Amino acid sequence: MTTKKTNILLIEDNPGDATLIEVMLAETGSLLFSLEHAASLYGGIEHLEKSAFDVVLLDIGLPDVNGLDSIIEITNKAPDTPVVMMTGLDDEETAIAALRMGAQDYLVKGRIDSRSLLRSIRYAIERRHVEEDLWSSRQFIQRVTEAAPNIIYVFDLIDRRIVYVNHTLRDVLGYGIEDIEMMGPGQYERLLHPDDLFHLPELMKRYESAGEGIVIETELRIKHAGGQWRWLNTHDVVFTRDPDGRPRQILGTAQDITGRKYMEDTIRHYAYHDTLTSLPNRRLLTDRIRHALTQASREVHMAAVLCLDLDKFKEINDTLGHEAGDCVLREVAYRLKACLRETDTVARIGGDEFVVLLYKTPHERDAALIAGKITSSFRKPFVIDGRTLQCTTSVGISLYPADGADAETLLRNADLAMYKAKEEGRNAYRFYKSSMNEESLDRAKLEYLLRGSLERGELELHYQPQINMLSKNISCVEALVRWRHPERGLLQPSDFLPQAEEAELISAIDEWVLREACRQTRAWQGAGHPALSVAVNLSSRHIQRPHLADSVSRILRETGLAPSFLGIEISECTAITEKDFSLPNLTDLAGMGIRIALDNFGKGRTPVHYLKKWPVRILKIDKSYIDGLSANPDYKSVVHAVITMAHHLDLEVVAGGVETEDQLSYLRSVRCDQMQGNYLSRPLPADECIIFMTH
């Protein structure tokens, strides 16, 4: 192997010392070298400009430069060439100063021999190579750290300052390195979130107990230069320790996990909140009820649970669609929160069902006050897509500890009370009573049997004749549904239709009634009563069904009944409150030739201009006005006014619920068009009705 020649530049103004150095180099025998000599600094610089050298032997006492300045000149000219300083002064401070200024080694003249000279040259060259390698490694590491997507830092725990941080700091937190360098000890804590600052002592204990190479992970919030909080996930190792073994410096990385934390918070929120209204869901509600009961037990006070749902909400979904229904639910959530104290909770537990938890209720009247505020808040109409909707709510209330000692019992009992409020007319609140449990079982059994009543053929129609007051002929019959209950016998509509509505069976029953009434009427027409017509009362839910006219038209075709012999009755209250939904269907039905009657007229106080716009041909006066004819003269005036107004509008008038001769006489005197009631005939089964009409 060929030994590489070492190129040496000797800068020495003393010829004797220069010769001595050359002789010593030759004496080593093991060093293959070439030597060039310059007697002054600037002569040496000229050599450096022309050739590359492996080492410079530099005399510190040159005539054309001041002492240690020669080192600066040489290192500036050839920064990669190692320098060995030669001095006649045995001065350690001078030697240390020379090393700090860039010299690799120093030799004291008069003590130099060939061995020490060879060692010094080799040491200087090798040290320079090591430094170059180290510098390359540092550059590589720096490039890696600066390109890293995470913050990389070294933090001094004792001085409480950042020793090193990469430029990713600006991308993540908005600070420049110069901002960090300007911060004094302890200022970094101001960037920590107060909740995380509280955990610093615990983190220090983890550093102290960490073994060699153990990674300590934590999550904390740091204030961004823009003022917002950013979540960081850090991984630290203890980098250095002081003489007593305490952690001094930590090397760590920090990853921005703000987006992940936001997603976690979002997932956590929707695990405990309703996605539509952002109210607490059943899971969170149950936890809060348990907490409230624990507090109530400890402090010896009551708590209240209110269950409520929206009356006839399904009709909104069926007629306007679920998007409109969702808008109503969001508005309901807003109104409920406005009725409560900050300490109370309102939750949506499904569909149109909401629950209110009153944490501290000194007296049951306080729960009643809140329930009253809730029902009153529904008086204001809901405006959805330009449409005005009326929606009410029924509320049930259970109290702790009287009505239950746990969340499940209180919710169940409040639910029972809510159904009681619905049964008694809706738009009200009721407190739980123990008797409601038995009523609930009866209601559940009734609903179960009702679901199979159509298939088992248990529904039947009774017909109540209407008489024409002028001709005294029976011109129409009203079809009224009955249920032949397998255990309780024949049930009136009021005994099962409310449950049918709650169980969403009412439309199926309405359709059956309509079909059976048309079929039977057509059969009677064929049996000698060709001018007979039938009136069918449809529920508000059915009258709002999409494509109702198509459904009725199909039934008429299948049964063979002409549209002019069918009358559809709708209650005045339904017509007013649901006019935006029912009016289009009523218009379509009237266009087919079907007679539209406004039932229970007088209860809803319909404005006269509505009657002009609606496709109504018949007004059916509410029974309460007929009942009052004998007892209160004012009722006669009202009935007379209604009949007169109707005739001016070219409408027929039917008086329902006529029970006495006096009532009949008065109605005849004010020219009422038709009447029906038990005075003429009670509702009859089909076979009895045909006999009555014949004779």
Side-chain angles (χ1 to χ4, degrees), residues 18 36 72 83-84 111 148 170 184 289-290 310 338-339 350 395 443 510 566 600 652:
E36 294 188 25
I72 297 174
V83 176
V84 176
R111 296 182 183 178
R170 183 182 296 278
I289 292 177
R290 289 169 181 161
L310 310 186
C339 294
V395 184
R443 185 170 56 248
D510 278 349
L566 174 64
N600 306 121
E652 294 182 38

Side-chain angles (χ1 to χ4, degrees), residues 184-313:
Q187 287 186 298
Y188 303 106
E189 282 88 340
R190 298 178 187 175
L191 302 180
L192 274 176
H193 192 280
D195 293 345
D196 298 324
L197 191 62
F198 178 75
H199 296 294
L200 275 185
E202 179 187 346
L203 186 60
M204 288 300 299
K205 289 180 181 178
R206 293 175 65 191
Y207 289 141
E208 290 172 2
S209 61
E212 187 72 24
I214 297 300
V215 177
I216 298 171
E217 182 180 1
T218 189
E219 292 180 356
L220 45 81
R221 284 156 288 186
I222 301 289
K223 183 176 287 187
H224 189 277
Q228 66 270 33
W229 294 104
R230 307 293 293 181
W231 275 98
L232 300 182
N233 175 232
T234 64
H235 292 77
D236 300 331
V237 294
V238 176
F239 189 42
T240 60
R241 296 180 181 270
D242 66 10
D244 296 326
R246 293 177 302 176
R248 172 149 195 133
Q249 292 181 337
I250 56 170
L251 169 65
T253 65
Q255 180 184 7
D256 184 0
I257 58 169
T258 307
R260 191 190 81 192
K261 296 295 286 187
Y262 174 79
M263 288 300 299
E264 289 175 356
D265 290 344
T266 301
I267 293 170
R268 190 179 300 111
H269 174 82
Y270 285 123
Y272 291 95
H273 291 80
D274 171 51
T275 55
L276 177 64
T277 63
S278 288
L279 294 178
N281 61 13
R282 183 183 291 273
R283 179 187 295 180
L284 182 54
L285 172 70
T286 303
D287 288 343
R288 290 188 179 178
I289 292 177
R290 289 169 181 161
H291 174 76
L293 299 190
T294 301
Q295 182 177 334
S297 175
R298 184 171 57 247
E299 299 177 5
V300 192
H301 61 72
M302 288 195 301
V305 172
L306 285 65
C307 282
L308 58 132
D309 73 4
L310 310 186
D311 300 326
K312 300 184 179 180
F313 176 72

Side-chain angles (χ1 to χ4, degrees), residues 506-671:
I506 192 67
S507 286
I509 292 175
D510 278 349
E511 187 158 339
W512 179 86
V513 169
L514 185 62
R515 184 182 299 277
E516 179 60 20
C518 291
R519 184 199 66 78
Q520 182 62 69
T521 303
R522 182 68 188 93
W524 282 333
Q525 289 177 344
H529 299 275
L532 185 67
S533 63
V534 65
V536 176
N537 202 319
L538 295 183
S539 67
S540 61
R541 180 169 296 181
H542 197 78
I543 205 70
Q544 298 175 61
R545 287 183 65 183
H547 313 298
L548 175 63
D550 294 339
S551 174
V552 174
S553 178
R554 184 177 62 255
I555 290 174
L556 291 172
R557 286 196 309 271
E558 292 172 357
T559 59
L561 186 68
S564 58
F565 293 107
L566 174 64
I568 297 293
E569 295 186 359
I570 176 174
S571 73
E572 183 186 19
C573 291
T574 296
I576 292 175
T577 57
E578 313 294 348
K579 59 182 180 297
D580 290 338
F581 314 122
S582 57
L583 184 57
N585 277 342
L586 294 177
T587 302
D588 291 343
L589 293 172
M592 295 166 54
I594 295 171
R595 294 171 294 109
I596 305 299
L598 209 56
D599 197 10
N600 306 121
F601 187 78
K603 272 191 171 183
R605 296 184 174 89
T606 303
V608 175
H609 69 273
Y610 278 14
L611 296 177
K612 292 180 179 179
K613 293 190 300 183
W614 290 348
V616 174
R617 289 176 53 185
I618 301 168
L619 297 185
K620 195 168 184 180
I621 300 175
D622 187 68
K623 184 178 183 298
S624 62
Y625 290 99
I626 307 303
D627 291 340
L629 288 175
S630 302
N632 191 337
D634 290 340
Y635 278 73
K636 291 184 177 180
S637 300
V638 172
V639 170
H640 189 192
V642 169
I643 294 172
T644 302
M645 175 199 68
H647 288 166
H648 277 297
L649 296 173
D650 199 24
L651 301 177
E652 294 182 38
V653 180
V654 176
V658 178
E659 305 286 341
T660 68
E661 175 65 31
D662 289 342
Q663 293 170 350
L664 178 62
S665 297
Y666 178 76
L667 292 168
R668 184 179 289 117
S669 70
V670 293
R671 298 176 59 212

